[in-house]
Amino acid sequence: MARPLPGFEAVPPSRRNAMWLCLLHPAMRGFYADREQVLRDMGAHLRAVWAARPQDRELSGLNAEFATQDEDFARLWSERQVSVRRTRRVFSAAACCAGCRR
């Protein structure tokens, strides 16, 4: 069975979430066809979750980590968008299939 994301097994279980992978895993930078919109949607949803759980230290820690390690996230987070809608994700075929060509 092919691994869909090269190096995923090296990612600590605490970091195996879509937002962390999209922002900080090198193989995911080109995974989404419209990364900007995906980050915008994920960030808006993350802000809604964070607003509902302001005392959650783990979530606050993730937000701080994202903001300090990814300038796109920091920029989008500062826009203060909030949303809980679900959107359709379009993947880049080249990035998606890269792990399958072994």
Side-chain angles (χ1 to χ4, degrees):
M1 182 175 185
R3 284 177 261 157
L5 181 60
F8 184 76
E9 62 280 350
V11 175
S14 64
R15 299 299 188 238
R16 292 179 185 173
N17 68 66
M19 192 73 180
W20 192 93
L21 291 168
C22 188
L23 290 169
L24 304 177
H25 194 287
M28 291 293 289
R29 292 211 59 93
F31 191 73
Y32 293 103
D34 186 358
R35 184 174 187 269
E36 174 76 14
Q37 188 60 50
V38 169
L39 290 179
R40 201 171 277 290
D41 292 345
M42 287 178 147
H45 182 75
L46 183 62
R47 185 173 283 284
V49 171
W50 180 71
R53 298 170 29 193
Q55 303 303 321
D56 187 326
R57 289 183 181 176
E58 185 175 349
L59 186 57
S60 293
L62 276 176
N63 289 343
E65 179 181 7
F66 296 156
T68 59
Q69 293 189 28
D70 188 273
E71 63 186 40
D72 292 329
F73 178 84
R75 175 180 48 82
L76 294 171
W77 189 255
S78 71
E79 293 176 9
R80 302 183 186 274
Q81 293 184 14
V82 179
S83 176
V84 291
R85 71 174 186 227
R86 302 286 185 227
T87 60
R88 182 175 151 253
R89 302 280 185 246
V90 179
F91 303 105
S92 166
C96 182
C97 296
C100 301
R101 292 188 200 128
R102 293 183 196 207

